[in-house]
Amino acid sequence: MVPWEGYVSDETMGTFAPILLYWVYAGGYQLVLHRRPLERYRLHTRAEEEDKNLVALPAVVRGVLLQQLVQAIVAMILFMITSDSSTVLVQPSMVVQSFQFLVAMLVMDTWQYFVHRYMHQNKFLYRHIHSQHHRLIVPYAIGALYNHPLEGLLLDTLGGAMSFLVSGMTPRTAVFFFCFAVLKTVDDHCGLWLPYNIFQHLFQNNTAYHDIHHQLQGTKYNYSQPFFSIWDRILGTHMAYDLVSRKEGGFEARPLRD
């Protein structure tokens, strides 16, 4: 039993709940990011954000909305193709769903690692497509899905579809998986190192880890996203870092490789 049962279909929730959650979670971060009490948790100063980023917030919002429009269309098509209205779908046990969750996480990580890495290695793709995401040299939460539309389709939307199909999860399980993936992706770009943030403590691939990738020294490292750092470690693209306190307040993720 889920709160939306009898009101909205699992397929509709799987399509639109992650989009709504993105704006609620990222919007919450955006509201507190510039609050003075949280300055001591920032990975970059406010001046760095203003000076280094190459795109304004309104353009970022428009870019994210465009990606989410494509994402919603693909999700509706995916659920329409895979759903069978003639049968009653029974949810598997929690053990099975947990296994499907893990499989989906590994599939998404694998897909995104190799597509992401190739977009850095191919000069044409980087210059004309992936460099749009790196206009945010200082990441922030709302910009988590700020990508070229083609990258949004290939990296995020198709990665999510592959995770759903390979894992064999039901649309209801997919609601929770897609929402979890959105929360993790937003958190990795939030620009804050918070003391009680569960994602930053449970996952080595976290806000500071991905911040390294957005730095000049780290653009060819730390490709893994959004969950684990397995592929970086296996294939030699892992860059360790020190999280140090700045004198003026806040933290800095410093690469440990020249």
Side-chain angles (χ1 to χ4, degrees):
M1 184 74 176
V2 288
W4 62 85
E5 191 165 356
Y7 300 96
V8 180
S9 70
D10 294 335
E11 291 81 2
T12 300
M13 284 294 293
T15 300
F16 296 105
I19 295 174
L20 177 61
L21 185 61
Y22 181 95
W23 290 106
V24 171
Y25 195 50
Y29 265 128
Q30 196 67 26
L31 288 174
V32 302
L33 183 61
H34 298 296
R35 300 285 183 179
R36 191 166 298 277
L38 291 181
E39 291 288 324
R40 66 183 184 273
Y41 300 121
R42 290 181 64 115
L43 291 177
H44 296 271
T45 65
R46 199 179 311 187
E48 281 183 292
E49 181 182 327
E50 294 171 355
D51 293 341
K52 292 183 177 181
N53 283 348
L54 305 175
V55 60
L57 179 60
V60 170
V61 171
R62 289 194 297 271
V64 173
L65 287 172
L66 176 58
Q67 174 167 330
Q68 290 177 329
L69 174 62
V70 175
Q71 173 186 316
I73 293 171
V74 172
M76 286 188 287
I77 294 172
L78 178 66
F79 286 131
M80 182 176 63
I81 293 172
T82 58
S83 296
D84 184 359
S85 58
S86 63
T87 61
V88 177
L89 197 60
V90 179
Q91 280 292 101
S93 67
M94 288 302 298
V95 173
V96 172
Q97 289 185 72
S98 298
F99 178 73
Q100 291 172 333
F101 230 81
L102 179 60
V103 170
M105 291 167 74
L106 293 172
V107 170
M108 181 173 284
D109 266 18
T110 301
W111 177 271
Q112 293 206 3
Y113 175 86
F114 287 101
V115 174
H116 185 194
R117 181 173 179 175
Y118 186 67
M119 284 188 173
H120 275 270
Q121 293 177 330
N122 185 298
K123 293 181 179 179
F124 178 86
L125 291 178
Y126 183 81
R127 184 181 304 114
H128 295 285
I129 296 177
H130 187 57
S131 63
Q132 177 169 325
H133 182 69
H134 281 271
R135 292 176 188 172
L136 291 177
I137 298 169
V138 177
Y140 53 80
I142 282 182
L145 292 183
Y146 175 66
N147 300 306
H148 187 282
L150 182 58
E151 177 179 353
L153 175 63
L154 291 175
L155 190 69
D156 298 309
T157 304
L158 290 186
M162 290 282 290
S163 301
F164 172 73
L165 293 171
V166 173
S167 68
M169 61 176 53
T170 65
R172 181 164 297 182
T173 305
V175 174
F176 295 100
F177 175 72
F178 290 148
C179 286
F180 178 62
V182 161
L183 291 174
K184 182 64 171 60
T185 300
V186 168
D187 209 84
D188 287 348
H189 292 81
C190 72
L192 296 169
W193 188 259
L194 299 168
Y196 302 110
N197 186 308
I198 190 169
F199 291 122
Q200 294 171 1
H201 290 288
L202 287 180
F203 292 91
Q204 291 182 335
N205 187 344
N206 52 38
T207 310
Y209 187 88
H210 192 66
D211 183 78
I212 293 294
H213 177 71
H214 277 259
Q215 297 180 26
L216 181 61
Q217 308 99 304
T219 53
K220 295 184 178 181
Y221 298 93
N222 294 11
Y223 297 115
S224 292
Q225 57 187 50
F227 301 112
F228 308 114
S229 58
I230 298 170
W231 288 113
D232 277 324
R233 294 178 183 277
I234 292 174
L235 297 177
T237 54
H238 175 266
M239 180 178 276
Y241 62 90
D242 261 345
L243 195 64
V244 298
S245 298
R246 292 194 307 265
K247 291 182 180 179
E248 65 272 28
F251 297 97
E252 179 185 350
R254 290 182 182 173
L256 293 180
R257 185 185 301 188
D258 294 331

